[in-house]
Amino acid sequence: MSVSIDIAGLRPERTAVVPSPLAELGMALHALSEPGHHPALQDWVTGVTARLDPHLADRMCEADFLWRTTFSDLFLPSAGIPDRRTLPGATLAEELDLLDKLSEEQFVDAALEFTCALPYGLPGPGPLTDEGLRRRSLELAAARGPRQMLFTERLLAEPPRIRAWLRQFLQDCDEAFFAETWSRLRHQLAADTRHKTELLRRKGLAGALAAVSPAVTLDESGTRIGVDKLGDGRTATGDGGLLLVPTSLGWPHLMVLHRYGWQPVLHYPVGSPEPAAPPSVEQLALRMTALSHPVRMRMSRHLARSAHTTSELAQVHGMTAPEISRHLSVLKKAGLITTRRRGRYVLHQLDVAVVARLGRDFLEGILR
C-alpha cells in the first residue's frame, strides 16, 4: 500500500520547498482537537486550551471534521489554483486570499471529502451538481450527528456563507493563539526550507526526499515518488509542479495531497522523533502477523529471556524441529529475532528492542 506521484517530465525548477502558515494553522487545530496524536505538544495544547475564549472553543467544534479526523485540503489552497504551480502565501492573509480563489465546487468537495466519502483521486461531478452525491453527503453527515448535518446543509445551500464563516474563524484563531505560535515556529520551518532547497540543488530530488522521510522514495527511473502509507492513491505533476511543505506540529503525520486536478503536495514533519529507518507498512504487518500466532507467542516468551537452539525449543514446546524451524523463519523474516552461531550450535533470540518499539511503530504507521 502506498501513494505514488508520477513526476515524469517534471522540471527541476518546478519543485519547491515552501512553508505554509495556513497549513500550520490547520495542523494546530488538529493537535488541539486530537492531542493524543501529538504527545510532544502536550504543554502547548494545555497552554492554548487554558486561555482559549469559550466562544471560540465552541466555534472550533462546529467544523472540527475539517481537521480532527484528518487534514482537509482546504488548508493547502495553493495546490488547487488551476495553473498547478502556485506557491503558498508568505502570510496567513495571503493564504486566505488563495482559499477565496478556489471555485465553489472545489471548496465544497474538499470540505466534505473525508466525512462524506466523496470521490478524491478521479474526475467527476460533486454534490453541488450531482443530486445523488448530494443525497449521499447529507445521509453520511446525518450519521455523524446534528452538528455536521447542520454544517453540511448550510454548506450545500450557501457555500459563500460558509466560506466567509471559515475565513473569519481562521482569522480569529490567528489573533487568539496562532500568530504567537507562528512567530516561534516559522524560524524552524524557514531553516528546514533552506536545508531542503540546498539538498535539491546539490543532490537532486532523491537527496531531498531522503531527508523528508525514510517513508518517501524515488524509484530508479526517477519518474515516480512512492510514499509508504496505509492507503492507496496516485497522482501526477503533469505540466505543473511539486510542493514540499514542512510542518513543525505535524509528527507523526506524513500527508500527500493527491486530489485529482490539484498540484501534488508532500506535507511532512520536521524535527520529528521518528527512527532513522522506521519499518515499512509491509514490514509492520509482517511483525504483527508473526507475533499473533499462539505458538510464536509462546516461543517469544523463551526467546526474550535467553538464546535457544531449534532443538531446545522443540523439546520445550513438544514439537518437531522442522515445525519450530518454520516458526523461527517467520519471526526472522519479520525482523523479530537475531541469530548467532556458537560452535556447531545456532542460537536464536528475540530482538527485545524491536518488539518494544512495535506499539510506537504501529501508531506511527496508522497515523502517517
Side-chain angles (χ1 to χ4, degrees):
M1 289 180 286
S2 66
V3 177
S4 67
I5 305 174
D6 185 342
I7 59 168
L10 176 66
R11 291 159 54 180
E13 68 271 16
R14 289 186 180 166
T15 298
V17 189
V18 189
S20 164
L22 180 56
E24 199 69 350
L25 174 52
M27 196 53 69
L29 290 168
H30 170 72
L32 290 170
S33 300
E34 288 287 358
H37 289 192
H38 306 274
L41 300 178
Q42 186 62 52
D43 291 344
W44 177 81
V45 169
T46 301
V48 171
T49 303
R51 65 176 188 271
L52 201 61
D53 176 76
H55 178 59
L56 182 59
D58 287 342
R59 290 163 62 203
M60 196 176 292
C61 295
E62 287 188 42
D64 64 354
F65 38 83
L66 293 178
W67 51 80
R68 184 171 200 143
T69 305
T70 183
F71 187 81
S72 173
D73 292 344
L74 290 177
F75 291 100
L76 287 164
S78 61
I81 303 302
D83 66 3
R84 305 184 75 202
R85 301 174 195 171
T86 302
L87 301 181
T91 66
L92 182 63
E94 290 177 13
E95 295 238 81
L96 292 177
D97 288 342
L98 289 174
L99 183 60
D100 287 342
K101 290 183 179 180
L102 296 181
S103 69
E104 286 194 355
E105 290 76 12
Q106 287 179 304
F107 183 86
V108 171
D109 289 356
L112 296 180
E113 169 207 337
F114 294 109
T115 53
C116 293
L118 295 178
Y120 186 85
L122 299 172
L128 287 182
T129 56
D130 186 298
E131 186 58 34
L133 278 179
R134 185 185 187 89
R135 287 195 303 270
R136 178 183 175 191
S137 298
L138 291 171
E139 290 170 0
L140 291 170
R144 291 177 175 267
R147 190 188 295 272
Q148 180 157 348
M149 180 65 181
L150 178 61
F151 182 88
T152 304
E153 287 177 335
R154 292 168 57 198
L155 176 64
L156 292 173
E158 300 179 88
R161 180 182 174 189
I162 295 299
R163 292 172 77 125
W165 177 91
L166 181 61
R167 180 175 182 126
Q168 186 60 58
F169 167 74
L170 295 172
Q171 289 173 330
D172 291 346
C173 287
D174 184 49
E175 182 178 346
F177 65 87
F178 182 68
E180 177 185 347
T181 300
W182 178 251
S183 68
R184 174 173 51 86
L185 298 181
R186 63 186 178 89
H187 302 293
Q188 181 189 27
L189 296 176
D192 182 81
T193 297
R194 290 192 296 270
H195 173 59
K196 298 295 193 303
T197 301
E198 180 64 14
L199 285 174
L200 277 171
R201 185 184 68 82
R202 291 190 296 108
K203 297 186 177 182
L205 184 58
L209 293 178
V212 164
S213 170
V216 182
T217 56
L218 184 65
D219 70 3
E220 292 183 359
S221 69
T223 61
R224 188 173 298 275
I225 298 170
V227 185
D228 187 52
K229 291 176 67 70
L230 270 170
D232 294 304
R234 61 184 65 250
T235 186
T237 53
D239 60 354
L242 173 68
L243 282 177
L244 309 182
V245 177
T247 167
S248 291
L249 301 176
W251 189 88
H253 306 302
L254 170 64
M255 291 174 289
V256 187
L257 192 162
H258 57 285
R259 178 181 293 278
Y260 180 83
W262 289 41
Q263 180 178 196
V265 182
L266 278 171
H267 190 207
Y268 66 93
V270 301
S272 65
E274 65 181 341
S280 66
V281 170
E282 181 182 4
Q283 186 76 355
L284 182 61
L286 277 176
R287 290 176 179 175
M288 299 188 73
T289 300
L291 290 174
S292 67
H293 194 286
V295 171
R296 293 193 285 271
M297 288 181 69
R298 291 195 298 271
M299 287 173 56
S300 295
R301 182 174 184 271
H302 290 85
L303 294 170
R305 286 168 166 77
S306 63
H308 291 275
T309 66
T310 301
S311 297
E312 288 172 337
L313 291 169
Q315 184 176 5
V316 168
H317 293 282
M319 301 173 68
T320 66
E323 288 174 324
I324 290 295
S325 293
R326 284 194 291 272
H327 286 296
L328 286 172
S329 177
V330 173
L331 292 170
K332 188 172 183 179
K333 183 178 180 181
L336 294 169
I337 61 172
T338 59
T339 300
R340 71 179 188 273
R341 182 174 290 278
R342 188 175 66 193
R344 63 189 183 92
Y345 297 102
V346 176
L347 298 172
H348 311 281
Q349 190 162 14
L350 192 71
D351 191 331
V352 177
V354 171
V355 177
R357 288 200 306 266
L358 194 55
R360 185 188 67 185
D361 290 341
F362 174 71
L363 187 61
E364 190 273 339
I366 62 175
L367 292 180
R368 186 191 299 158

